């Protein structure tokens, strides 16, 4: 009797945790938590500030109940902590339990409350998919970033050699030159920099055009291509996994139907034997 009750309670918790209305309510609470963090950056009347503090306590308790429900609804407790998103949620919720007043950790506690907004990523599957694809693309993007750094370094050295006497502020040394080239690559008034050097070196526009072509067009498109390639492969793998799960579910249903048919056939045979007797 106790086993059946515990099983039904587990099924109920699992059903609540996976229900769409519960997920939508969690997203609403996370959005409200984000709004409370933003509201506290403004000077507020005492009554409103007090109400926001009570609301923050309610949100913290709700997150604690929600993460506890997810843990209890998980069939394998070890598997729950193998998911990095679950660990992230636990850290955020545990950090939210820290008091935000009269402690030396007040800044850390407030910072963790700001990070509660990131729980939207762990709740919404599409956002998790994007973040996972981005994380898997980082190794390849790192090589592109390294190649970009080499290009920046070469052009910064050339710019410092030729343009340092034009403007020491922009081309004084290689470090400052790299910052100037970053300004050029982001198109922040880069024409002013170009026209200044063109007064001394009329053909210096070739230097900027080549640099912008490499950084803003070639390497940026390479970055986008890497992310799109990873997202495409992730989508294909997810579709393949869903097809396999669907196939396994169909096989299980067919096996169950075959077993039921076999039991019915046995019952019919038994009834016929009884009649014959």
């Amino acid at each position: 009797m106790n086993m059946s009750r515990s099983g039904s309670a587990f099924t109920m918790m699992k059903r609540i945790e996976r229900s769409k209305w519960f997920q939508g309510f969690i997203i609403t609470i996370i959005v409200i938590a984000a709004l409370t963090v933003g509201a506290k950056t403004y000077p507020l009347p005492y009554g409103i500030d007090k109400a926001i503090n009570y609301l923050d306590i309610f949100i913290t308790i709700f997150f604690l109940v929600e993460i506890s429900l997810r843990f209890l609804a998980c069939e394998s407790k070890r598997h729950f902590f193998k998911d990095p998103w679950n660990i992230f949620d636990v850290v955020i919720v545990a950090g939210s339990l820290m008091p935000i007043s009269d402690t030396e950790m007040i800044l850390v506690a407030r910072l963790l409350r700001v990070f509660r907004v990131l729980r939207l990523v762990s709740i919404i599957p599409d956002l998790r998919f994007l973040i996972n694809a981005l994380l898997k693309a980082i190794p390849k993007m790192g090589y592109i970033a390294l190649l970009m750094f080499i290009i920046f370094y070469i052009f910064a050295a050339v710019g410092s050699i030729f343009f340092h006497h034009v403007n020491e502020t922009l081309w004084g040394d290689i470090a400052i030159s790299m910052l100037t080239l970053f300004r050029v690559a982001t198109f922040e008034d880069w024409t002013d920099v170009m026209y200044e050097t063109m007064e001394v070196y009329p053909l210096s526009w070739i230097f900027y055009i080549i640099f912008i072509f490499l950084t803003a067009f070639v390497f940026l498109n390479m970055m986008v291509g890497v992310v799109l390639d990873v997202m495409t492969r992730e989508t294909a793998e997810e579709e393949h996994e869903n097809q396999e799960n669907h196939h396994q579910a169909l096989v299980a249903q067919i096996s169950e139907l075959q077993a039921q048919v076999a039991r019915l056939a046995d019952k019919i045979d038994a009834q016929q034997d009884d009649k014959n007797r």
Side-chain angles (χ1 to χ4, degrees):
M1 187 70 176
N2 293 330
M3 291 292 292
S4 61
R5 289 182 178 178
S6 61
S8 61
F10 176 79
T11 304
M12 180 64 67
M13 286 188 296
K14 195 171 183 179
R15 186 179 303 171
I16 293 173
E17 190 267 335
R18 293 184 178 181
S19 61
K20 291 184 178 180
W21 67 267
F22 186 70
Q23 297 296 325
F25 187 68
I26 294 173
I27 293 174
T28 303
I29 294 297
I30 294 174
V31 172
I32 294 174
L35 294 177
T36 58
V37 171
K40 286 186 177 182
T41 60
Y42 294 93
L44 300 173
Y46 175 78
I48 297 178
D49 186 68
K50 197 74 173 177
I52 290 178
N53 289 333
Y54 284 123
L55 181 60
D56 185 77
I57 294 173
F58 166 76
I59 291 172
T60 302
I61 295 174
F62 174 80
F63 281 159
L64 180 61
V65 173
E66 182 262 336
I67 199 70
S68 301
L69 180 63
R70 284 170 53 190
F71 177 74
L72 294 175
C74 184
E75 296 179 358
S76 176
K77 309 306 179 186
R78 291 183 179 180
H79 182 72
F80 180 84
F81 289 104
K82 288 182 180 180
D83 189 347
W85 291 112
N86 291 334
I87 297 176
F88 172 79
D89 289 341
V90 170
V91 171
I92 295 299
V93 173
S96 299
L97 297 175
M98 297 173 58
I100 60 174
S101 60
D102 300 329
T103 62
E104 296 180 355
M105 301 293 291
I106 181 172
L107 293 179
V108 177
R110 288 179 176 176
L111 188 62
L112 288 173
R113 278 169 167 76
V114 173
F115 286 156
R116 288 191 305 195
V117 183
L118 290 175
R119 291 205 60 207
L120 280 173
V121 177
S122 63
I123 295 298
I124 301 176
D126 290 339
L127 292 180
R128 287 204 307 267
F129 173 77
L130 291 176
I131 295 299
N132 289 332
L134 181 61
L135 292 176
K136 291 183 178 180
I138 285 178
K140 292 184 178 179
M141 293 173 64
Y143 290 109
I144 299 175
L146 178 60
L147 185 57
M148 286 184 65
F149 175 79
I150 294 173
I151 297 299
F152 265 82
Y153 192 87
I154 293 174
F155 275 81
V158 173
S160 181
I161 292 172
F162 285 97
F163 305 145
H164 71 278
H165 63 279
V166 176
N167 191 332
E168 286 284 339
T169 305
L170 298 179
W171 306 99
D173 53 49
I174 194 167
I176 296 176
S177 298
M178 291 183 71
L179 289 176
T180 303
L181 290 175
F182 185 79
R183 169 184 171 182
V184 173
T186 55
F187 302 108
E188 178 62 29
D189 294 333
W190 71 277
T191 53
D192 295 338
V193 180
M194 181 182 67
Y195 291 143
E196 186 179 35
T197 58
M198 285 179 64
E199 293 179 358
V200 181
Y201 299 100
L203 295 178
S204 62
W205 60 269
I206 300 175
F207 172 86
Y208 297 98
I209 295 300
I210 295 175
F211 176 76
I212 290 175
F213 177 79
L214 290 175
T215 56
F217 295 104
V218 176
F219 292 117
L220 182 60
N221 288 327
M222 289 174 65
M223 288 279 191
V224 175
V226 167
V227 175
L228 290 177
D229 178 65
V230 173
M231 290 182 63
T232 302
R233 284 191 281 109
E234 286 292 310
T235 304
E237 290 178 1
E238 185 177 3
E239 290 179 354
H240 180 69
E241 183 178 355
N242 291 334
Q243 290 178 356
E244 286 186 350
N245 293 334
H246 183 65
H247 178 71
Q248 291 176 358
L250 287 176
V251 170
Q253 291 178 358
I254 293 173
S255 299
E256 182 65 24
L257 288 174
Q258 290 176 346
Q260 291 179 0
V261 171
R263 287 195 295 268
L264 288 173
D266 292 338
K267 289 182 179 179
I268 293 172
D269 292 339
Q271 291 176 357
Q272 290 179 351
D273 292 339
D274 292 337
K275 289 180 179 180
N276 294 329
R277 293 176 182 175

